[in-house]
Amino acid sequence: MTMPETISIYNTFGYLIPFLGLSLFQITRTTKRGRIEKALQESETQYRMLFNSIADPVFIFDQETKLFVDCNQSVIDRYGYSLDELRTMMPHQLHPPGESEAVEKEVKNGDNVDPAPHSYIHVTKAGERLEVEIHTQETTYEGRPAWISIVRDVSERNRILLREQEQRIRAEHLLAQIREAVNTLTSSTTEILAATTQQATGANQQAAAISQTTTTVDEVKVIADQVVSRAQVVARTAQRTVEVSNDGRDAVNETIDSMNQIRARVEGIAENI
């Protein structure tokens, strides 16, 4: 370490200057260290503030031990574990039975590192099940290889999607029913229209038959009137004939009576002769 140059001042002021030079060196070194420590402190504070401001839960775990080494405030708030508790746990312990074994194998083999999100189930300390998507990348934490996982809770999103899917299925089912009803109505309408057309045709035929029948009846009526008139004429003729016959009969009777009288007179005259 190089001491500050104090020789010229030493010759004039004795031991005061070397002592002063050493004190200045110590002050300078302490000041630089303080500034570095303060800068590191500020950097750490800013990092922690930035880390904790991330809305999604963020886990950091060691690649060798597989233990969690750090997390942001969202993890503590959402999962209910303290940082000290998490530092005794591994990633697979956040998964339910049946899934944790596969996750443990993935972490062990390093298969969990993938830019694409992976869908899992996480279980909180209180036992709540969360549907999550996890992005995991390699990083370095305090000089050691680590993994950082950003977790997105998609439980609500999946519930909304499921609800929308159910609504869509119900809508499609309702639409199918409406379509079927429309087809049935169309078919029934076609049948009704055909039947109505047939009835209308029948009605037209009946109307034509009625019209024809009416015409025939009118003709028959005319003929009947004519027959009646003729019958009346015949009746009058017959009556006249009868009257004439009666008059002729009376005349014949009168003639016979006259002839009888003449014969009687002739016989009387003959007897007298």
Side-chain angles (χ1 to χ4, degrees):
M1 184 177 298
T2 304
M3 296 291 292
E5 182 60 47
T6 60
I7 297 175
S8 58
I9 302 174
Y10 176 85
N11 293 333
T12 306
F13 295 98
Y15 292 100
L16 179 62
I17 296 307
F19 175 77
L20 181 61
L22 180 59
S23 298
L24 288 172
F25 171 75
Q26 290 176 338
I27 292 171
T28 301
R29 186 174 62 179
T30 302
T31 302
K32 286 182 178 179
R33 185 191 309 155
R35 288 175 181 172
I36 293 172
E37 289 178 352
K38 183 179 180 182
L40 288 174
Q41 228 173 23
E42 290 176 352
S43 177
E44 174 68 20
T45 301
Q46 290 176 353
Y47 158 77
R48 182 55 59 177
M49 288 178 60
L50 179 63
F51 191 48
N52 287 329
S53 68
I54 300 174
D56 291 326
V58 181
F59 296 87
I60 300 176
F61 55 102
D62 191 278
Q63 287 192 20
E64 182 179 346
T65 65
K66 309 301 187 293
L67 292 171
F68 291 116
V69 293
D70 204 353
C71 69
N72 66 350
Q73 188 62 37
S74 293
V75 172
I76 297 172
D77 295 339
R78 191 71 186 90
Y79 287 78
Y81 292 104
S82 67
L83 180 56
D84 289 338
E85 287 176 315
L86 283 171
R87 283 174 173 165
T88 65
M89 298 172 60
M90 298 181 181
H92 70 273
Q93 293 177 275
L94 294 176
H95 296 260
E99 187 176 272
S100 61
E101 294 80 0
V103 172
E104 183 178 15
K105 184 178 179 181
E106 289 177 2
V107 172
K108 182 178 180 180
N109 297 333
D111 297 335
N112 58 312
V113 180
D114 193 338
H118 291 259
S119 297
Y120 296 103
I121 299 295
H122 269 180
V123 182
T124 67
K125 186 177 181 179
E128 181 185 358
R129 295 170 68 92
L130 308 177
E131 297 178 28
V132 297
E133 289 181 350
I134 303 178
H135 297 260
T136 301
Q137 294 181 349
E138 292 189 24
T139 187
T140 300
Y141 184 83
E142 295 183 352
R144 291 177 58 85
W147 284 305
I148 180 169
S149 293
I150 301 175
V151 180
R152 174 67 54 87
D153 185 352
V154 295
S155 303
E156 183 61 24
R157 184 196 71 182
N158 288 348
R159 278 193 290 269
I160 293 173
L161 291 176
L162 179 61
R163 190 159 53 245
E164 290 178 350
Q165 183 179 9
E166 291 174 349
Q167 290 175 350
R168 184 170 61 254
I169 291 174
R170 284 197 296 268
E172 290 175 353
H173 181 64
L174 179 61
L175 185 61
Q177 289 180 329
I178 293 173
R179 190 180 295 112
E180 183 179 357
V182 169
N183 291 336
T184 302
L185 180 61
T186 302
S187 177
S188 299
T189 303
T190 303
E191 293 175 359
I192 292 172
L193 183 59
T196 303
T197 303
Q198 186 176 2
Q199 289 177 354
T201 303
N204 290 334
Q205 292 176 349
Q206 289 177 354
I210 291 171
S211 178
Q212 184 176 1
T213 302
T214 302
T215 302
T216 304
V217 169
D218 291 341
E219 292 176 351
V220 170
K221 183 179 179 183
V222 170
I223 295 172
D225 290 340
Q226 293 175 353
V227 170
V228 169
S229 297
R230 291 175 182 174
Q232 290 176 347
V233 171
V234 170
R236 285 196 296 269
T237 303
Q239 181 66 30
R240 183 64 180 167
T241 302
V242 169
E243 290 176 354
V244 171
S245 297
N246 288 333
D247 291 342
R249 186 178 58 187
D250 290 341
V252 170
N253 288 334
E254 289 178 358
T255 301
I256 291 173
D257 289 339
S258 296
M259 290 180 69
N260 287 332
Q261 289 176 3
I262 293 172
R263 187 179 62 181
R265 288 175 183 175
V266 171
E267 288 178 353
I269 293 174
E271 287 179 358
N272 290 327
I273 294 176

